[in-house]
Amino acid sequence: FRDIATRKQWEEDLQKANTHLQVLVSESEERNRHMTLLHEMSDVLQACQSSEEAYNTTAHFGPRFFPDFAGGLYMLNNSKNLFEKVPDWGEAPPAEQVFVPDECWALRLGREHLVDDITTGLLCRHVSPATSQGYLCLPMMAQGEAIGILHLRRITPGNEIVLETVAQLAATMGEGVALALANLKLRETLRSQAIRDDLTGLFNRRYMEETLERELHRVSRLGIPLGLAMLDLDHFKKYNDTYGHHAGDELLRTLGQLISSQIREDDIACRYGGEEFIIIMPGASQEVTLERTELMRRGVKKIHALRPNQFLHPITISIGLAIFPDNGATGSALIQAADVALYQAKKGGRDRVVAVAA
């Protein structure tokens, strides 16, 4: 007989070592996979040109990072008083589309909020009562402020994955998404400042000139007309002298809002300079352009009550119209034609729309 107890102990130790090594190899492979995904997602986020593209990118990569979880982003709105749900992923119980900041414990605590067991955990008020699994809320920070929430919910029945094991990965992913969104917002703000008029919110003259040439090439290729309207406030200097420059600025701002509310999605409204505005209407014939600017001329007359309980001088505008290709083949020619029509409207008594004859 031989004593094989030592040999058996060695075999057991070897088996444990092999098992432990397999676990380490598996964890290493998983970390490498996550790093590859993070780099891939980062490259795509940097190539995004809008917040909407970044939201869709996050929803695309979310299931690859967290296959056993449903999730989504809640982003802070422009008024900074509500968090609104943007494209999410995975099947999960219905959740609130919008909630106020104090309904989420992660926002109130300023850190991640984990609920492994919903029967004993502290639930956020924005989480659906139909949730039967645990969840994670993670604030996404940018420049010291929470700009959104990364929300993950278990969807696999009997899933024993502890949320702490995914919290670190979620934090890394959320940090990358938050940084990308903050950069996009900054770029969008800078671009808006470069192409928008601060007072009226309409596009500025430089953007109008660049866009007009591009639209002319497009409609020429499609064989469709383009309407251009040049608007000018009547007696604006007298209005400024009577009520002050502050009232004049308020009038220009209100007119900009009126124009924005009455144009189509494809139309381009710009402040040309001073009290002059230009509206580019791709695809609009002279008849359509005349009809729509006439409605705008009538609508401007309702602006006279800018101050409560104080009557201000009635507002009118004169409008000159030019149509591509009948009145000009280039942007400068079209603007010049519209300017001639505007002069005719002013000379004819103001408060009217005049179209250039072909």
Side-chain angles (χ1 to χ4, degrees):
F1 295 94
R2 289 180 300 171
D3 185 0
I4 61 173
T6 302
R7 179 180 176 181
K8 285 186 176 182
Q9 184 62 45
W10 287 348
E11 291 177 349
E12 290 178 1
D13 291 343
L14 182 60
Q15 182 63 34
K16 291 179 180 179
N18 286 336
T19 301
H20 181 62
L21 182 59
Q22 290 175 1
V23 171
L24 292 177
V25 170
S26 178
E27 291 177 351
S28 177
E29 291 176 346
E30 189 69 3
R31 282 194 298 269
N32 289 337
R33 187 181 73 86
H34 289 159
M35 289 300 297
T36 301
L37 278 177
L38 286 170
H39 285 301
E40 184 180 348
M41 184 182 72
S42 177
D43 290 342
V44 177
L45 286 173
Q46 289 181 15
C48 290
Q49 296 183 348
S50 67
S51 298
E52 191 65 30
E53 287 184 347
Y55 299 153
N56 292 331
T57 297
T58 305
H60 170 75
F61 280 93
R64 299 172 65 182
F65 279 108
F66 312 105
D68 297 312
F69 292 81
L73 300 180
Y74 288 89
M75 300 305 301
L76 188 64
N77 65 1
N78 292 332
S79 300
K80 296 188 176 182
N81 61 345
L82 292 173
F83 281 82
E84 300 175 346
K85 190 177 182 182
V86 295
D88 55 3
W89 66 89
E91 296 181 3
E96 295 291 339
Q97 298 294 317
V98 178
F99 66 87
V100 296
D102 64 1
E103 291 183 331
C104 181
W105 280 107
L107 291 171
R108 295 167 69 176
L109 297 172
R111 55 179 171 81
E112 65 186 32
H113 181 63
L114 301 168
V115 177
D116 262 318
D117 187 349
I118 65 168
T119 61
T120 59
L122 190 62
L123 300 182
C124 299
R125 294 204 303 269
H126 67 87
V127 175
S128 170
T131 298
S132 59
Q133 305 287 335
Y135 71 89
L136 163 69
C137 282
L138 179 75
M140 296 194 305
M141 309 297 294
Q143 299 178 349
E145 296 182 355
I147 63 171
I149 288 287
L150 174 59
H151 182 70
L152 298 175
R153 300 180 299 276
R154 287 200 189 101
I155 57 176
T156 305
N159 188 357
E160 298 299 330
I161 297 178
V162 180
L163 283 171
E164 283 84 348
T165 61
V166 301
Q168 185 175 0
L169 177 60
T172 304
M173 175 185 174
E175 182 179 350
V177 174
L179 179 61
L181 288 172
N183 289 336
L184 277 170
K185 185 175 181 181
L186 178 60
R187 281 159 50 187
E188 290 170 355
T189 300
L190 292 175
R191 173 170 171 76
S192 178
Q193 291 175 349
I195 66 176
R196 293 279 183 179
D197 173 61
D198 291 338
L199 182 61
T200 63
L202 302 178
F203 292 111
N204 57 28
R205 179 169 180 166
R206 178 180 177 182
Y207 180 83
M208 182 276 298
E209 292 173 345
E210 295 175 353
T211 304
L212 178 57
E213 295 300 330
R214 183 176 65 247
E215 288 298 319
L216 287 177
H217 285 298
R218 187 175 70 88
V219 297
S220 177
R221 187 170 60 251
L222 296 174
I224 58 177
L226 178 143
L228 186 141
M230 181 177 287
L231 295 70
D232 184 84
L233 278 165
D234 296 328
H235 303 296
F236 183 67
K237 183 179 183 303
K238 181 179 179 181
Y239 188 93
N240 263 340
D241 293 341
T242 304
Y243 304 109
H245 290 285
H246 178 74
D249 288 346
E250 188 63 30
L251 173 59
L252 291 173
R253 185 180 296 110
T254 304
L255 179 57
Q257 294 172 353
L258 174 67
I259 292 173
S260 297
S261 67
Q262 294 193 359
I263 61 175
R264 304 171 304 174
E265 184 177 354
D266 293 337
D267 294 342
I268 301 145
C270 316
R271 185 183 181 188
Y272 190 58
E275 66 273 22
E276 289 185 336
F277 300 82
I278 283 182
I279 304 175
I280 302 170
M281 294 174 271
S285 63
Q286 179 169 307
E287 180 181 359
V288 172
T289 305
L290 184 62
E291 178 182 354
R292 295 178 60 233
T293 51
E294 179 64 28
L295 290 175
M296 194 171 297
R297 183 191 67 82
R298 296 174 186 174
V300 168
K301 293 186 177 183
K302 300 177 182 179
I303 299 178
H304 69 273
L306 285 175
R307 296 178 179 175
N309 304 319
Q310 183 177 358
F311 176 80
L312 300 184
H313 191 279
I315 306 303
T316 62
I317 58 172
S318 300
I319 305 175
L321 305 182
I323 307 298
F324 172 85
D326 298 340
N327 306 134
T330 65
S332 58
L334 209 59
I335 291 174
Q336 184 176 359
D339 190 40
V340 170
L342 177 61
Y343 175 77
Q344 293 174 355
K346 292 283 190 180
K347 188 177 180 181
R350 296 182 172 84
D351 187 23
R352 63 193 62 208
V353 181
V354 173
V356 176

